[in-house]
Amino acid sequence: MNRRKPGLIIADLFCMLLLIGVDQLTKYAAVARLKYKPAIPIIPSVLELSYLENRGAAFGMLQNQKILFVFVSLLIVAVIVSLLFRLPPQKKYTILHVLLVMIAAGALGNTIDRLRLDYVVDFISFVLIHFPIFNVADIYVTVATCILAILLLFYYKEEDLNFLAFFNNDSQP
């Protein structure tokens, strides 16, 4: 089995920390500029910045289930870290590598909020379609997961994904 070089794992960590930092910085700005204030229109009647303390999951589901969200998030991050260690170093896996880092960073960004504040700071609102308010970490997870699904369905072939077999026996011929 191919192992990722230590430099690539360090790059993973650096990118993850950078993405988490951007997420946390935007949430800090949202608290400082939006909390207890009216929404700020970016594109009138389409997009605005509006502060929300989300104690649930996507679309406000499962309110006040902090322990469940933290557990699931950390489990997902553990699986992603395991995959990053197993990810072959070939160039065709670079996009997969980036997408996994984005998903982990998004999950950790929201987990930091849940652990620190007991809620997630959301502030981006598409008022045109009355879409639930979200944040930068949610963008990481949503965009990366959609692209990942497309790649798994249409780009990668079954033999490209052999590294996913966690319990394969490397001693078999």
Side-chain angles (χ1 to χ4, degrees):
M1 171 179 31
N2 291 323
R3 295 279 182 200
R4 307 242 341 140
K5 294 179 182 175
L8 294 174
I9 297 301
I10 292 169
D12 287 343
L13 181 60
F14 176 77
C15 290
M16 207 176 295
L17 291 173
L18 181 66
L19 290 172
I20 292 168
V22 169
D23 171 64
Q24 292 295 301
L25 184 64
T26 60
K27 290 173 179 174
Y28 174 80
V31 171
R33 305 275 184 194
L34 300 171
K35 191 171 184 177
Y36 306 120
K37 296 179 183 160
I40 299 173
I42 303 299
I43 303 172
S45 301
V46 176
L47 179 68
E48 66 184 25
L49 301 178
S50 179
Y51 181 82
L52 175 73
E53 295 175 358
N54 184 358
R55 288 174 169 76
F59 309 108
M61 296 184 302
L62 300 171
Q63 290 289 314
N64 299 310
Q65 298 296 314
K66 174 183 169 180
I67 294 171
L68 173 66
F69 294 136
V70 169
F71 174 76
V72 169
S73 177
L74 294 177
L75 182 64
I76 289 168
V77 170
V79 168
I80 288 173
V81 168
S82 175
L83 288 172
L84 288 171
F85 274 99
R86 299 175 67 85
L87 196 64
Q90 288 92 355
K91 194 169 185 108
K92 70 179 174 181
Y93 297 103
T94 301
I95 186 67
L96 185 59
H97 167 77
V98 170
L99 296 172
L100 292 172
V101 167
M102 286 177 65
I103 294 168
L108 288 171
N110 283 340
T111 298
I112 289 168
D113 281 13
R114 288 187 200 288
L115 291 172
R116 191 170 63 87
L117 305 169
D118 288 332
Y119 57 85
V120 174
V121 173
D122 288 336
F123 59 92
I124 303 168
S125 177
F126 278 112
V127 293
L128 177 67
I129 58 173
H130 302 289
F131 197 79
I133 300 174
F134 57 96
N135 60 47
V136 173
D138 297 335
I139 294 170
Y140 297 158
V141 172
T142 303
V143 170
T145 301
C146 289
I147 295 170
L148 180 61
I150 291 167
L151 289 175
L152 292 175
L153 289 171
F154 301 110
Y155 177 71
Y156 291 111
K157 295 173 180 36
E158 186 175 342
E159 58 271 11
D160 292 332
L161 302 175
N162 286 337
F163 71 93
L164 292 173
F166 284 101
F167 301 107
N168 70 352
N169 187 351
D170 290 339
S171 64
Q172 291 180 347

